[in-house]
Amino acid sequence: MQMERMSRRAFARAALSTLATAPGVAASGARVPVPGAAGEAVLIPAPGATTERVAVPGRSASVAEGAAAFGPYGRPRETSELRGVWIATVVNRDWPSRPGRTAAEQRAELIAHLDRAVRDRLNTVILQVRPTADALWPSPYEPWSEYLTGTQGRNPGWDPLGTAVTEAHARGLELHAWFNPYRIANHTDPARLAASHPAREHPDWAVRYGGRLYYNPGLPAVRAFVQQAMLDAVARYPVDAVHFDDYFYPYPVAGQTFDDDEAYDRHGGAFPSRAAWRRDNIDTLVREMAAGIKRVRPGTRFGISPFGVWRNATSDTRGSDTRAGIETYDDLHADTRAWVRNQWIDYIVPQLYWHIGNADADYAELVRWWAEVAKGTKTHLYVGEALYKAGAAGQPSAWQDPVELSRHLTLTARYPQVRGHAFFAARDVAADPIGAMARVVADHYRGPAKPPR
């Protein structure tokens, strides 16, 4: 759809700004025009609006009915869409609420998160099961996670991942097992790791950087080991997907250097630069992991949730119209665009943790850019949403508005490539301090949906 001289980005901002600021909208139930799929005006009810019939070409439906049957731009709502929530276990962010709770208490907390997902008509739970080179299942390769008992390597007396898969499936939820490939610890002291930890048995595998310990992605032995450790869970449990987050090479820390000189000298000779070699290391992990999943459990999907900016357009003309301080291609050595275009992964969930109109990384611009990247591929595009920012102290005014996230879903409905959303994270879904999640559910999740396959 051509916007004549107005850019898509500006048009989206203007339309959504009107929705947010029209005088008396909430009180009067006034209707706000937004662009339809074919240029027609489709009227979206404001909060508290009475139900009215709206003319959509070829269809007749009330606004309230249309919210369930149609997307907010008048096109049929997808029969399937991802509605996901992350459950982070690292530093007990979401679950368990603290280390050392009894097995029964931990299980009850986990079930409460699953039940909450069902109540909010979500269909996918992304559970972090390997937060720091450890395990939330009885792994023969790595120790039990300290976030369960408070002591790394101590048996918690139950099988969290096995229970999560069983209980999620019993509730009609998909369970995506979330792994962090390279992070070893949130400290730099190997002596604090369990005595049997692989990083203690192979100290040459580890790199100290930014106050943390990481496995060195440049060592083929490391790459083989982390795949073996992660695929053990895939072999044991019928997980619906394997999920990576945004940590590949670590985020840059000013004044510090990730010391992989020896590995580069040994393995990087065929590459024009260290950066190219590092990117190839991560590309190889992604390709090999995808093949391993298909080999171990055919039908299990593979998805990655990277930082939301591949490259700024000032760095690469193929990049987004952003001015982000981090670019995954250059800083994390993760060529996220190539993974989608080459269809190495089944889905991608870029973390678009900015509001509409952000000066440096506009949510609307990044949705447009990722939709173009995914167009024509078989890689599903979902959008990672920053629910944790809604109502949080110190966040810009946009995040103090409970409607901001709902506007995100309204905007993405314009892009058929967007097949769903995932919300960070479970603790915030449960607390929902300003009702942002409740608004998303009321506006967009009035009926159930199946996850895309």
Side-chain angles (χ1 to χ4, degrees):
M1 176 171 60
Q2 295 295 324
M3 302 295 184
E4 299 180 352
R5 295 185 181 275
M6 180 178 279
S7 70
R8 293 181 183 176
R9 178 175 165 190
F11 191 96
R13 280 188 188 173
L16 289 159
S17 176
T18 301
L19 177 58
T21 61
V25 163
S28 67
R31 299 169 298 153
V32 181
V34 292
E40 75 276 15
V42 180
L43 301 177
I44 307 299
T50 56
T51 299
E52 295 184 39
R53 293 198 170 270
V54 178
V56 177
R59 303 187 185 278
S60 176
S62 71
V63 171
E65 293 164 345
F70 306 102
Y73 289 94
R75 58 182 180 85
R77 186 174 292 280
E78 299 292 339
T79 57
S80 66
E81 64 177 347
L82 184 114
R83 300 175 181 177
V85 58
W86 280 283
I87 301 179
T89 60
V90 66
V91 300
N92 299 99
R93 199 272 178 197
D94 295 317
W95 174 83
S97 59
R98 58 178 172 81
R101 303 211 74 183
T102 67
E105 289 170 336
Q106 291 180 6
R107 185 181 186 280
E109 287 184 350
L110 177 61
I111 294 301
H113 283 302
L114 300 180
D115 287 343
R116 180 61 190 234
V118 172
R119 286 197 298 273
D120 285 347
R121 301 188 189 93
L122 307 182
N123 55 33
T124 301
V125 169
I126 307 167
L127 175 64
Q128 191 174 33
V129 299
R130 186 179 180 267
T132 51
D134 51 12
L136 271 75
W137 75 95
S139 169
Y141 301 103
E142 294 178 308
W144 282 105
S145 176
E146 67 178 296
Y147 304 121
L148 296 170
T149 65
T151 301
Q152 191 176 67
R154 180 180 294 172
N155 191 324
W158 69 303
D159 181 356
L161 177 52
T163 300
V165 172
T166 299
E167 295 293 342
H169 288 173
R171 288 163 174 75
L173 298 167
E174 285 200 352
L175 195 289
H176 294 202
W178 167 15
F179 303 88
N180 187 289
Y182 293 120
R183 184 173 56 205
I184 297 173
N186 290 316
H187 57 76
T188 59
D189 184 3
R192 291 173 55 185
L193 303 173
S196 62
H197 198 289
R200 294 187 69 172
E201 296 177 1
H202 303 277
D204 57 311
W205 287 3
V207 178
R208 291 179 175 88
Y209 182 78
R212 295 178 176 178
L213 279 174
Y214 297 92
Y215 281 128
N216 188 343
L219 296 177
V222 164
R223 187 171 66 245
F225 171 75
V226 298
Q227 290 180 58
Q228 186 178 43
M230 294 184 288
L231 288 171
D232 177 70
V234 180
R236 289 171 182 262
Y237 307 102
V239 297
D240 298 288
V242 167
H243 184 95
F244 286 177
D245 56 14
D246 52 322
Y247 288 93
F248 296 98
Y249 279 86
Y251 281 81
V253 177
Q256 297 194 29
T257 300
F258 188 84
D259 185 7
D260 56 0
D261 287 353
E262 185 177 342
Y264 180 52
D265 289 343
R266 197 186 322 164
H267 303 291
F271 296 88
S273 67
R274 188 181 305 235
W277 169 70
R278 286 178 173 178
R279 276 190 294 275
D280 185 73
N281 292 332
I282 302 304
D283 285 350
T284 301
L285 172 74
V286 170
R287 291 195 306 268
E288 290 180 353
M289 192 67 187
I293 294 165
K294 288 180 172 61
R295 181 179 68 252
V296 171
R297 190 176 291 277
T300 297
R301 302 172 74 217
F302 182 26
I304 298 179
S305 177
F307 179 77
V309 176
W310 172 70
R311 299 189 91 186
N312 298 318
T314 51
S315 300
D316 189 317
T317 57
R318 298 171 298 171
S320 51
D321 182 13
T322 51
R323 287 151 294 283
I326 297 292
E327 299 165 279
T328 61
Y329 182 92
D330 302 277
D331 297 307
L332 309 183
H333 307 290
D335 192 353
T336 54
R337 181 181 181 276
W339 305 343
V340 175
R341 297 304 300 172
N342 294 330
Q343 303 177 124
W344 293 342
I345 57 179
D346 297 301
Y347 70 77
I348 195 161
V349 196
Q351 297 173 21
L352 304 191
Y353 290 173
W354 300 277
H355 60 272
I356 296 169
N358 183 287
D360 295 320
D362 184 352
Y363 178 92
E365 158 62 12
L366 284 163
V367 167
R368 181 205 63 78
W369 187 87
W370 279 104
E372 286 297 317
V373 170
K375 184 181 293 184
T377 76
K378 294 181 180 179
T379 304
H380 285 187
L381 171 62
Y382 313 133
V383 176
E385 300 286 354
L387 176 63
Y388 72 96
K389 289 187 175 181
Q395 292 296 333
S397 59
W399 289 110
Q400 309 308 319
D401 185 346
V403 186
E404 174 68 20
L405 278 182
S406 181
R407 292 190 189 105
H408 290 194
L409 274 69
T410 299
L411 186 151
T412 60
R414 296 181 60 199
Y415 298 94
Q417 293 82 14
V418 178
R419 304 286 299 276
H421 301 258
F423 300 90
F424 192 85
R427 182 178 71 192
D428 311 282
V429 169
D432 200 18
I434 61 171
M437 190 68 201
R439 183 61 185 258
V440 166
V441 174
D443 290 351
H444 302 279
Y445 295 166
R446 295 190 181 187
K450 295 180 179 180
R453 297 297 294 179

